[in-house]
Amino acid sequence: MKLKAYIKTFRKYSGLIIHLAKNQVALKYRKSYLGMLWSLLNPLLMMIVLTMVFSTIFHNQIENFPIYLMCGRLIFDFNSECTNTALNSVVGNSALIKKIYVPKYVFPLSCSVASLMNMLFSMAALIIVMLFTGTPFHVEMLMFWLPLCYAFMFSTGLGLILSALNVFFRDIKHLYKVMTTVWMYMTPLFYPIEVMDGIVKNIIMFNPLYHYITMFRGMVLKGTLPTLSDNLLCLGIGVVTLFVGVVIMKKTQDKFILHI
């Protein structure tokens, strides 16, 4: 019965989630002459700069460096944008929360949807670079949505956790900025994991984004589909993180009004 009630509540507020996500996308590009075109230009410009810097270092170890880099950046940037915007979503909507009742998960979830919309627009940049570099299009690329779904679950769960913690501990947003920087360097975005040895390599293997990016790269660069164990691992990480996020949000949301 509880599950049916949760589903009914989610359907009731699904329109609000989409509305908030659209508003967030619109606000991001407000007063910008190029608007959403920046979702295309930003990954392209970053790819050009980072390729110029790192391709000379790893040119013997990474084939088709621009595509290798963009596959990693797309998923990492999605996670980074999703979690950073979700982190402040509850506190940032304190005025609305004080006036009417709204399930608190609506705000971080709308951030996840908005970030996913931005990422899908950014996918056009990957296609453009593939055409420019003559990278073959594999039929396996049609399964690109699979690692994106796993990454969406993981990022949404992490966003729920961060948004709840930020209500009680405002230092979280400053600490998480530092963590995001460390996370970027501990994710093989512009270097192959093979250059790492020992404990550092083992730490990277525990990085959820490493598995999502590797799955996505395999489809785009090699035309390979993930194995059953790869799918179970990525799905498990996403489901567990999302479950923990939902539980923390549910346990703490009634206390938000006292702290925002």
Side-chain angles (χ1 to χ4, degrees):
M1 295 297 293
K2 284 187 176 181
L3 180 59
K4 290 183 179 180
Y6 292 150
I7 294 175
K8 184 178 180 180
T9 302
F10 178 78
R11 287 179 176 176
K12 179 181 178 181
Y13 290 98
S14 59
L16 177 60
I17 293 172
I18 299 300
H19 176 72
L20 290 173
K22 288 181 178 179
N23 279 350
Q24 186 170 321
V25 173
L27 287 172
K28 181 177 180 180
Y29 300 106
R30 186 178 59 179
K31 296 183 179 181
S32 170
Y33 287 109
L34 297 179
M36 291 198 69
L37 190 59
W38 279 111
S39 293
L40 175 66
L41 291 176
N42 186 57
L44 282 175
L45 294 174
M46 288 299 297
M47 181 274 298
I48 292 172
V49 172
L50 292 175
T51 297
M52 291 173 61
V53 175
F54 292 104
S55 62
T56 55
I57 301 175
F58 301 113
H59 70 280
N60 290 326
Q61 296 165 291
I62 300 178
E63 184 179 356
N64 203 342
F65 186 86
I67 303 300
Y68 179 91
L69 175 65
M70 286 202 71
C71 288
R73 290 288 311 189
L74 283 174
I75 292 184
F76 183 87
D77 288 349
F78 160 71
N79 176 76
S80 180
E81 178 183 347
C82 176
T83 52
N84 276 286
T85 53
L87 187 150
N88 197 52
S89 60
V90 174
V91 175
N93 286 281
S94 59
L96 178 60
I97 292 173
K98 291 177 180 178
K99 290 180 180 179
I100 60 173
Y101 172 77
V102 179
K104 311 309 181 290
Y105 68 81
V106 162
F107 302 108
L109 182 55
S110 66
C111 293
S112 297
V113 175
S115 299
L116 183 62
M117 292 168 61
N118 284 327
M119 183 189 181
L120 291 177
F121 280 115
S122 298
M123 289 286 290
L126 176 63
I127 295 174
I128 290 173
V129 176
M130 290 181 69
L131 291 171
F132 184 79
T133 58
T135 304
F137 287 82
H138 304 285
V139 67
E140 289 78 8
M141 284 183 62
L142 296 175
M143 296 295 293
F144 76 95
W145 54 270
L146 192 58
L148 298 194
C149 287
Y150 296 149
F152 180 82
M153 286 190 292
F154 170 74
S155 300
T156 300
L158 184 56
L160 289 169
I161 296 170
L162 291 169
S163 62
L165 293 178
N166 189 52
V167 173
F168 306 103
F169 310 103
R170 301 300 170 86
D171 289 338
I172 289 291
K173 62 182 179 181
H174 303 292
L175 179 62
Y176 190 64
K177 288 181 180 180
V178 177
M179 291 175 59
T180 302
T181 302
V182 175
W183 200 352
M184 181 183 70
Y185 288 107
M186 294 304 293
T187 304
L189 301 178
F190 43 79
Y191 62 84
I193 193 173
E194 290 77 17
V195 302
M196 298 297 177
D197 294 316
I199 189 171
V200 176
K201 186 174 182 179
N202 292 331
I203 292 174
I204 292 175
M205 294 292 287
F206 278 98
N207 180 353
L209 294 184
Y210 163 74
H211 299 285
Y212 301 143
I213 291 171
T214 299
M215 183 181 294
F216 187 52
R217 279 174 176 159
M219 295 176 180
V220 175
L221 286 170
K222 301 177 181 178
T224 57
L225 291 176
T227 63
L228 177 60
S229 60
D230 291 334
N231 278 294
L232 290 176
L233 175 62
C234 291
L235 177 62
I237 294 171
V239 169
V240 170
T241 308
L242 183 59
F243 177 77
V244 172
V246 170
V247 170
I248 291 178
M249 179 63 68
K250 187 175 184 299
K251 294 285 187 181
T252 58
Q253 63 178 354
D254 293 337
K255 301 176 183 178
F256 288 173
I257 195 68
L258 301 174
H259 296 270
I260 57 177

